Amino acid sequence: MLHLKNDDPAVAKLIHKEQTRIEGTLDLIAAENHAPCSIREALGSVFTTKTIEGYPGKRYHAGCGHADEVERLAILRCRSLFGAEHVNVQPHSGTSANLAVYFSVLNVGDRVLSMTLSHGGHLSHGHQASITGKCFEVKNYGVKKESGRIDYQAVADMAQTFRPAMLIAGASSYPRLIDYEKMSEIARSVSAYFLVDMAHIGGLVAANVIPSPVPHADFVTFTCYKTMMGGRGGVILCRQKFAEKIDKAVFPGCQGTSPVNTIAAKAVIFKLAGTPAYKQVQARTLENAAHLAEALQKKGLRIISNGTDTHQVLVDVTPRGLDGGRAEQVLESAGIVLNQNVLPDDEGRKGAVSGIRIGTAGLSTRGMGTKEMELIADWLDRIMANHLDDGVIQDVRREVADLCCQFPVYGTEE
Ligand code: DSN
């Protein structure tokens, strides 16, 4: 960072501080991971200055030869990784990818059936706070309160009465596998398009440690920075018959130029995702999440859906006299970084949320295993049980720092 230190010491210092924070804390945010250095090199490359519009071979600016090659490489690798018929690697984010899918085949005012936010769904699935909720008529399905699992019969019944033009499966806080076959049957029964948003679980699917939605869905979207372990940005996979519509919906429909450095980073992660090392990390991510859920349950904490099939564990913190926001705050002061999360029980309630969402991708990429999950479960429990005791918080902070030293993310960089 020699140039940055010279041009802008203030930003250089903040980057250094952020690196120290990452090395010295435990990242349990389910929507994050630690990207390999090669991804960071691709993101910081000269491709960041290239302006592209259009697609490889059909651009609107000169000098796109290498950008064309890198986009073709990303597409080719992604298609083979997921067995998809068509791939678009230009979306800026998961929400941008979802927008493009909607506007590829839907008209404003069409009906969309998706999972409710408080049961695990995502803002971009038609929530009123998102433009998607303003453009479409949206109804939501949810989970059964007792089991925390999707109520497929309710989805089928709602589809019959509501007759949506699109059914969406996929979530940002749902720790269980989704029955894509069943959901696609429901979509077909009402001639609806079927979209799966696998933003959170893309890396687990890529490594083949959980089932893939690709054979069942018309469209699949995901982001590259969660379990996928890459840089930023979104991706759309679709059936060949929608290829042209999707490409037009991304550019010029929803976006202008797409960052080529991000496309280059996508190409890199699609290559790395085929390696045994990547598969091992994804398998460990699953094992760690299951172990952590069990360890927390043994301490008497309520785990939503009674466990997990993915990288996520959803915990009700209210029996410890906390709400999700306070738990997030006090855990961060002990070096444990995660986010407060709405739980199915919070539906319709205003104010504080009842849960925290834990993800094991970052810990697993760092090399941690079940032994470390035991320690982390213990710290989570100790902090929540003693959230007013600064001595306990500082003790745990020291233990967290020791563990972080044993599992460096990037090590010392300048
Ligand atoms: N969708 C948001 C989340 O799950 O936290 C950010 O990726």
Side-chain angles (χ1 to χ4, degrees):
M1 295 210 302
L2 288 178
H3 300 280
L4 190 59
K5 278 181 181 159
N6 185 52
D7 289 355
D8 193 337
V11 169
K13 201 168 166 190
L14 285 172
I15 293 174
H16 182 72
K17 280 184 172 174
E18 177 62 359
Q19 195 186 330
T20 307
R21 183 191 71 82
I22 290 170
E23 290 292 342
T25 56
L26 296 171
D27 186 357
L28 274 67
I29 291 187
E32 290 181 5
N33 206 336
H34 302 298
C37 292
S38 52
I39 296 287
R40 292 170 56 201
E41 286 170 2
L43 286 171
S45 71
V46 289
F47 270 132
T48 198
T49 61
K50 188 73 200 104
T51 294
I52 55 160
E53 282 179 335
Y55 290 95
K58 277 186 269 169
R59 304 286 195 190
Y60 293 83
H61 305 82
C64 287
H66 301 129
D68 283 3
E69 276 188 59
V70 88
E71 185 167 348
R72 284 197 183 105
L73 199 56
I75 290 169
L76 203 72
R77 287 176 177 172
C78 184
R79 203 190 288 150
S80 131
L81 184 65
F82 291 104
E85 292 178 16
H86 180 73
V87 171
N88 188 305
V89 293
Q90 291 196 9
H92 297 318
S93 66
T95 293
S96 307
N98 288 342
L99 271 180
V101 169
Y102 304 148
F103 286 106
S104 70
V105 290
L106 301 183
N107 292 307
V108 170
D110 277 354
R111 292 180 168 184
V112 170
L113 181 57
S114 64
M115 192 175 206
T116 194
L117 193 75
S118 58
H119 289 213
H122 191 251
L123 286 165
S124 68
H125 297 175
H127 192 273
Q128 269 307 311
S130 149
I131 190 167
T132 56
K134 295 176 173 61
C135 291
F136 305 109
E137 189 186 338
V138 181
K139 273 210 191 305
N140 292 139
Y141 60 86
V143 298
K144 289 186 194 163
K145 289 271 163 67
E146 333 66 84
S147 64
R149 294 177 189 245
I150 292 175
D151 187 342
Y152 292 97
Q153 190 53 52
V155 182
D157 294 345
M158 286 178 93
Q160 288 305 322
T161 51
F162 184 54
R163 314 297 294 183
M166 182 173 282
L167 174 65
I168 306 176
S172 61
S173 56
Y174 181 67
R176 292 299 182 175
L177 297 179
I178 294 174
D179 188 336
Y180 302 120
E181 199 175 344
K182 204 175 268 181
M183 291 295 261
S184 91
E185 273 167 25
I186 295 172
R188 271 205 310 275
S189 74
V190 292
S191 304
Y193 298 109
F194 181 38
L195 161 65
V196 175
D197 180 342
M198 62 167 189
H200 265 269
I201 54 171
L204 302 169
V205 171
N208 218 9
V209 296
I210 62 170
S212 170
V214 174
H216 306 286
D218 296 312
F219 309 95
V220 175
T221 55
F222 66 95
T223 48
C224 294
Y225 54 90
K226 300 184 178 102
T227 52
M228 198 66 215
M229 213 201 293
R232 310 303 301 181
V235 176
I236 303 172
L237 316 176
C238 70
R239 299 201 194 284
Q240 190 57 38
K241 64 179 174 180
F242 301 116
E244 202 179 331
K245 284 186 170 171
I246 281 292
D247 287 350
K248 280 187 178 157
V250 174
F251 174 85
C254 293
Q255 291 185 185
T257 184
S258 187
V260 185
N261 56 328
T262 307
I263 293 175
K266 288 173 184 174
V268 176
I269 202 61
F270 298 147
K271 175 171 189 276
L272 295 181
T275 62
Y278 186 92
K279 287 178 198 300
Q280 272 167 21
V281 170
Q282 300 296 340
R284 192 159 62 227
T285 298
L286 279 189
E287 189 188 14
N288 282 342
H291 201 88
L292 195 55
E294 203 182 313
L296 291 171
Q297 262 178 331
K298 280 190 190 145
K299 294 183 185 300
L301 283 153
R302 185 169 79 92
I303 306 300
I304 307 308
S305 88
N306 212 25
T308 179
D309 301 320
T310 67
H311 63 303
Q312 290 187 0
V313 182
L314 274 176
V315 186
D316 180 1
V317 297
T318 53
R320 295 286 192 267
L322 290 159
D323 60 51
R326 177 71 189 128
E328 176 188 306
Q329 214 177 25
V330 72
L331 286 163
E332 184 172 4
S333 55
I336 299 174
V337 184
L338 45 68
N339 68 284
Q340 58 180 299
N341 216 93
V342 61
L343 298 183
D345 311 297
D346 294 326
E347 190 175 12
R349 250 189 250 158
K350 289 214 183 323
V353 300
S354 302
I356 53 172
R357 184 183 62 169
I358 297 173
T360 53
L363 304 176
S364 308
T365 300
R366 232 175 152 152
M368 294 182 190
T370 51
K371 197 171 123 217
E372 288 71 37
M373 296 309 116
E374 289 286 339
L375 283 175
I376 293 168
D378 199 45
W379 292 332
L380 286 164
D381 183 48
R382 259 165 72 197
I383 293 283
M384 289 198 279
N386 301 281
H387 54 96
L388 298 174
D389 187 335
D390 202 48
V392 172
I393 295 168
Q394 291 317 316
D395 282 351
V396 172
R397 181 72 192 93
R398 274 188 290 277
E399 290 174 48
V400 166
D402 280 351
L403 183 68
C404 289
C405 284
Q406 293 167 44
F407 293 88
V409 182
Y410 300 112
T412 317
E413 285 177 17
E414 276 305 316

